[in-house]
Amino acid sequence: MDNRASSNPASPSHDKTRGDDDAAKVLDLLALWDGECADLRRAIEDQTDWGPFELVEMTPAFYDVYGLRRILCRFVFHGEADARAPFEKDLRRRLAAVTDWKEAPRAKLMDAPHSETLS
């Protein structure tokens, strides 16, 4: 049996163990980044050192069809569900100053190598 899916934080089986409330607090985004992951983390934290979203994980995800490197960035929302929308809108606006972002498709992330988790 392959244990990778159960230990992979992006896998659907892991989402089930987190519970619906916890999964609703997670925001997974893919950053386009060609530099060092530590530099990306610093740039994100410089833009987002406020509010209820916390960057909790960074994982090299895959290279897209153009050969550009994508980094999975997992944010957790620490607030009331009804207050999330305006904070998420502001977070996305601030992150756009760092690099280009895409929503994280679950199917792609399940196939990604996760040996380089950067917490």
Side-chain angles (χ1 to χ4, degrees):
M1 180 172 144
D2 180 10
N3 290 331
R4 189 176 87 173
S6 62
S7 64
N8 178 350
S11 74
S13 61
H14 186 72
D15 284 347
K16 290 177 188 171
T17 61
R18 264 195 305 214
D20 290 337
D21 289 340
D22 290 340
K25 294 181 181 218
V26 172
L27 174 63
D28 288 338
L29 296 173
L30 290 168
L32 174 65
W33 195 255
D34 195 29
E36 297 293 322
C37 288
D39 294 335
L40 175 60
R41 179 178 288 280
R42 278 190 293 278
I44 291 169
E45 289 175 352
D46 285 348
Q47 288 293 323
T48 63
D49 64 347
W50 57 273
F53 276 96
E54 174 187 13
L55 176 63
V56 295
E57 181 179 346
M58 294 176 63
T59 305
F62 60 92
Y63 286 84
D64 67 15
V65 294
Y66 302 107
L68 302 172
R69 184 173 171 213
R70 294 290 176 170
I71 307 293
L72 170 67
C73 296
R74 175 162 287 166
F75 298 87
V76 174
F77 179 70
H78 301 287
E80 298 298 322
D82 58 345
R84 179 178 170 152
F87 282 112
E88 184 175 329
K89 182 177 179 181
D90 192 46
L91 173 71
R92 289 173 184 267
R93 183 184 58 78
R94 289 171 182 262
L95 291 175
V98 174
T99 190
D100 291 329
W101 297 85
K102 292 191 183 251
E103 297 298 317
R106 291 287 178 193
K108 276 232 190 245
L109 296 177
M110 287 181 6
D111 295 334
H114 290 281
S115 58
E116 298 181 54
T117 299
L118 306 169
S119 299

